[in-house]
């Protein structure tokens, strides 16, 4: 086993997290000292925009990152920022009457959008479960458990399948809940979207509590992906289907293939179900091989996505998919022992360090292109902003925590032998 290469990856992840990502997201510059909480938008040129609504997704993701850093790194600044993020969730977003949380509030705390998409509620659950895991906060545990029960009772319509959107009263609502928003996805009616972020939230809640009901729901999600969403023809996951399980559209997100793969592994290992783990390995192995062989450009960067019919691929690269690529390739190496995966992981990490890291302001850029003409920042998913409802510290901080944990696990295995 290449011990020094794994140690170098772990060191890089730790340094990127502590010297690049967290210093930006814990900066006093992000705090709204007049109204409380964090600004809803900060532009690429570091201008604060308090007219932008505050997002449940962003706040829950910040709470996750701060919670993990407080637990893993024993970081007191992250603990303080986590307390503020949790206070915002409970005081402004949480709906004490009907449960769940509002999607958007303004700087003063008034509700802007009271719909409750499953996607957004996942980050209420993930943030609170993470905060409980880090601090033992009982209110966080109560909200996480309540949100889990609501998702199971109100959003779930079949094992592993959940409605995309609910209204304030937790009744089925049309669409995704993000209609009218810039760059919002436009899905056909009755599209079933696999809620991988809800699955991530269930993983965290089960990890923190060992609750049998959470474990059962998690097992159903993993089985559903393995048996119904794996596409053996294209060796990828169908993240959007109709009610009968048929793929909707021909676009494929390679970042989601990466993200879902290692999520399935995390869930199956946590459940300690050997049969389920074997099922996960049988579908993840070809998915990861497909990504490794076909979904990277010549500079070592994961391509965002492409059309399975035409073969056309996107040219720009988005920050979150780059992060997911690192973890997925490390999982590929752990699964197969094939050093091509480790090399792909290292190349992707080097690409991030060379082109995505914002050395002037901290954290990462959103979207870039690197080609024969050179390097440039471009428009794309989440725009140019440094912070907004989609641009957050979730994917890249999660990557760092995953890399540190996975390399440590691999090195322990080597020492045991």
């Amino acid at each position: 086993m290449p011990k020094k290469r794994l140690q170098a990856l772990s060191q890089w992840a730790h340094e990127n997290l502590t010297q690049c990502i967290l210093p930006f997201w814990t900066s006093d510059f992000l705090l709204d000292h007049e109204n409380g909480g964090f600004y809803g938008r900060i532009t690429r040129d570091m201008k604060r925009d308090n007219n932008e609504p505050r997002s449940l997704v962003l706040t829950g993701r910040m709470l996750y990152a701060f919670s993990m850093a407080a637990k893993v790194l024993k970081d007191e600044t992250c603990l303080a920022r986590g307390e503020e993020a949790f206070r915002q969730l409970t005081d402004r977003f949480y709906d004490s009457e009907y449960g769940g949380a509002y999607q958007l509030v303004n700087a003063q705390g008034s509700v802007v959008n009271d719909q409750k998409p499953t996607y957004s509620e996942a980050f209420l659950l993930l943030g609170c479960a993470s905060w409980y895991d880090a601090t033992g906060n009982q209110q966080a545990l109560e909200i996480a458990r309540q949100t889990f029960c609501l998702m199971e009772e109100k959003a779930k319509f079949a094992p592993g399948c959940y409605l995309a959107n609910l209204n304030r009263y937790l009744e089925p609502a049309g669409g995704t809940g993000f209609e009218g928003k810039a760059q919002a996805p436009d899905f056909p009616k009755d599209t079933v979207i696999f809620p991988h972020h809800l699955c991530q939230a269930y993983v965290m809640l089960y990890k923190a509590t060992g609750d049998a009901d959470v474990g059962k729901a998690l097992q159903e999600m993993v089985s559903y992906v393995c048996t119904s969403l794996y596409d053996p023809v294209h060796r990828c996951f169908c993240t959007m289907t109709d009610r009968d399980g048929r793929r909707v559209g021909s676009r494929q997100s390679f970042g989601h293939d990466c993200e879902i793969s290692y999520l399935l592994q995390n869930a199956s290992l946590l459940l300690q179900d050997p049969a389920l783990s074997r099922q996960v390995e049988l579908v993840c192995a070809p998915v990861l091989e497909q990504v490794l062989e076909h979904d990277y450009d010549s500079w070592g960067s994961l391509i965002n996505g492409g059309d399975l019919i035409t073969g056309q691929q996107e040219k720009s690269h988005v920050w979150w998919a780059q992060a997911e690529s690192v973890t997925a390739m490390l999982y590929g190496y752990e699964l197969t022992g094939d050093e091509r995966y480790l090399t792909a992981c290292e190349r992707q990490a080097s690409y991030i360090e060379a082109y995505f890291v914002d050395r002037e302001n901290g954290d990462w850029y959103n979207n870039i292109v690197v080609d024969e003409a050179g390097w440039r920042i471009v428009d794309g998913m989440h725009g140019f902003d440094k912070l907004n409802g989609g641009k957050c510290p979730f994917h890249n901080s999660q990557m760092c925590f995953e890399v540190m944990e996975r390399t440590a696990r691999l090195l322990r295995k080597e020492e045991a032998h």
Side-chain angles (χ1 to χ4, degrees), residues 262 323-332 398-399 402-403 406:
Y262 76 80
E324 301 301 347
S325 161
V326 172
T327 308
M329 290 300 100
L330 192 55
Y331 169 37
Q398 178 178 247
M399 174 207 73
E402 285 278 351
V403 168
R406 287 170 180 275

Side-chain angles (χ1 to χ4, degrees), residues 162-371:
Y162 296 76
L163 298 171
N165 193 27
L166 304 172
N167 63 21
R168 187 203 168 185
Y169 313 105
L170 298 167
E171 301 165 335
T176 64
F178 298 97
E179 286 76 16
K181 183 180 177 182
Q183 300 178 339
D186 182 20
F187 301 139
K189 186 179 180 181
D190 295 329
T191 296
V192 178
I193 308 166
F194 176 64
H196 60 286
H197 289 310
L198 188 65
C199 186
Q200 287 173 317
Y202 283 13
V203 166
M204 179 58 71
L205 184 58
Y206 187 73
K207 182 179 179 181
T209 65
D211 186 285
D213 290 335
V214 180
K216 180 177 182 295
L218 193 55
Q219 191 276 338
E220 290 175 351
M221 283 182 163
V222 175
S223 291
Y224 175 66
V225 176
C226 293
T227 59
S228 300
L229 298 186
Y230 172 60
D231 177 351
V233 174
H234 298 101
R235 300 196 301 175
C236 62
F237 294 115
C238 304
T239 53
M240 295 185 294
T241 66
D242 62 20
R243 291 296 181 110
D244 295 323
R246 292 184 294 261
R247 175 190 287 276
V248 172
S250 58
R251 186 190 180 277
Q252 186 64 23
S253 168
F254 307 140
H256 284 110
D257 282 334
C258 289
E259 187 174 17
I260 291 172
S261 292
Y262 76 80
L263 172 60
L264 295 180
Q265 185 213 21
N266 285 345
S268 63
L269 289 177
L270 192 61
L271 290 167
Q272 297 183 330
D273 183 336
L276 188 65
S277 292
R278 181 56 182 159
Q279 192 176 27
V280 165
E281 291 173 358
L282 287 174
V283 299
C284 286
V287 170
L288 293 172
E289 186 177 31
Q290 176 71 20
V291 172
L292 176 68
E293 293 180 347
H294 301 285
D295 299 340
Y296 285 92
D297 69 10
S298 57
W299 283 268
S301 174
L302 182 74
I303 299 163
N304 290 347
D307 192 289
L308 297 176
I309 305 300
T310 67
Q312 184 176 2
Q313 296 180 327
E314 298 175 29
K315 187 173 183 179
S316 66
H317 301 278
V318 65
W319 67 282
W320 70 264
Q322 305 290 288
E324 301 301 347
S325 161
V326 172
T327 308
M329 290 300 100
L330 192 55
Y331 169 37
Y333 173 66
E334 183 178 14
L335 178 61
T336 67
D338 187 338
E339 290 194 19
R340 291 184 304 150
Y341 288 100
L342 183 57
T343 299
C345 177
E346 292 168 328
R347 288 191 72 197
Q348 181 67 88
S350 296
Y351 186 98
I352 290 168
E353 190 66 27
Y355 302 115
F356 268 95
V357 170
D358 182 349
R359 304 193 187 284
E360 181 179 359
N361 298 309
D363 199 52
W364 297 6
Y365 299 113
N366 276 3
N367 305 274
I368 67 167
V369 167
V370 177
D371 56 20

Side-chain angles (χ1 to χ4, degrees), residues 12-24:
W12 170 76
H14 186 275
E15 290 177 355
N16 196 282
L17 179 66
T18 58
Q19 299 177 23
C20 173
I21 299 168
L22 292 177
F24 174 82

